[in-house]
Amino acid sequence: METFRGMKTLGVLGAGRLGTVLARFAVSAGLRVLVARSGDPAPIAHRMRSIGATAMSTAAVIEESDAVVLALPLGSLQTLPADALRGKLVIDAMNYWWASDGIRDDLSDPRTSTSELVQAHLGGARVVKALSHMGYQDLEDEARPPGAPGRKAIAIAGDDSHDIDVVSQLVDALGFDPVHAGPLSAGIMLEPGAEAFGADVDAGQLRDMLAGFWESQRGIIVRRARAHSQR
């Protein structure tokens, strides 16, 4: 039986704290979950089995999954196999952190969102930004069933309405209210420096943060950079 519009198997690339939390929640939501790390999957096999997921190679995870979550350092973007991910729904949960990614002007340019960089590298994939702006610990603590008082929200940015719908259903099943932020370019409103980044709030509060982005300090910087580039 289909779980979310044809999604039966969710792949997670990245077995760190975020990847593990998302894998565990997805298992609880009834999905078959496959997880890959960089290199041999054997070191994470026991840990994944303990949460109901399966450790596999990156190639196998991509091949067998209906959608793939990127829970990796953004600096490893160029190592992602674009050909293997062609045609896949890819959920970008990555962020640029200078402490782990190094000082990278190409990853911190305010004229574009990092998810647009992901889409540019994965030209044949369908990239949706989601599960990236709330810290893994808040994700772990705040998941609640639909309709529960105080349920928190996760924003989603993407260009395809069907993919947005699928990811929204996934976010809901994981324990959060989905909020559509806009097209993939709107993912910049969910990145470090934006008010929504790190926000542990409900859907109404999150929508207010997104609506006020362009008047915020980060929004003004982005707007000026983009205006300058168009001259």
Side-chain angles (χ1 to χ4, degrees):
M1 182 174 68
E2 294 181 349
T3 307
F4 316 117
R5 289 208 173 191
M7 188 192 299
K8 297 179 181 179
T9 302
L10 182 69
V12 180
L13 301 186
R17 291 169 175 172
L18 175 61
T20 300
V21 168
L22 294 178
R24 181 162 52 81
F25 282 2
V27 168
S28 295
L31 288 166
R32 176 184 180 226
V33 181
L34 311 177
V35 182
R37 65 184 287 272
S38 176
D40 183 4
I44 63 168
H46 176 73
R47 178 158 55 93
M48 291 303 113
R49 278 197 302 271
S50 71
I51 63 172
T54 302
M56 302 178 75
S57 68
T58 295
V61 167
I62 293 172
E63 181 178 359
E64 297 192 25
S65 298
D66 300 308
V68 176
V69 178
L70 305 181
L72 299 160
L74 184 63
S76 63
L77 170 61
Q78 296 301 319
T79 69
L80 291 173
D83 288 342
L85 287 163
R86 188 173 302 279
K88 291 284 185 181
L89 171 56
V90 174
I91 303 169
D92 175 23
M94 301 187 293
N95 288 296
Y96 169 60
W97 293 108
W98 66 266
S100 57
D101 297 319
I103 303 299
R104 296 276 300 272
D105 292 340
D106 59 320
L107 300 180
S108 58
D109 188 339
R111 294 173 297 179
T112 187
S113 69
T114 56
S115 287
E116 289 174 286
L117 299 179
V118 174
Q119 181 67 84
H121 175 63
L122 304 178
R126 293 139 39 218
V127 177
V128 173
K129 180 75 166 178
L131 302 167
S132 63
H133 67 84
M134 187 183 289
Y136 74 90
Q137 191 164 10
D138 286 333
L139 283 170
E140 193 163 31
D141 293 342
E142 297 289 1
R144 300 178 187 181
R151 198 183 200 214
K152 302 305 170 62
I154 295 291
I156 303 165
D159 295 332
D160 182 274
S161 59
H162 176 268
D163 292 338
I164 289 292
D165 189 28
V166 172
V167 177
S168 294
Q169 290 181 57
L170 175 63
V171 167
D172 185 43
L174 296 183
F176 302 89
D177 287 334
V179 170
H180 187 201
L184 195 62
S185 60
I188 201 162
M189 298 192 292
L190 312 176
E191 296 175 11
E195 185 181 12
F197 184 78
D200 179 17
V201 296
D202 64 26
Q205 292 171 299
L206 183 54
R207 290 190 185 98
D208 287 344
M209 289 178 178
L210 298 175
F213 173 78
W214 296 108
E215 303 307 318
S216 69
Q217 183 177 13
R218 176 61 176 167
I220 291 169
I221 291 171
V222 170
R223 189 170 65 227
R224 287 175 177 171
R226 294 181 176 183
H228 181 75
S229 69
Q230 295 172 358
R231 292 176 184 173

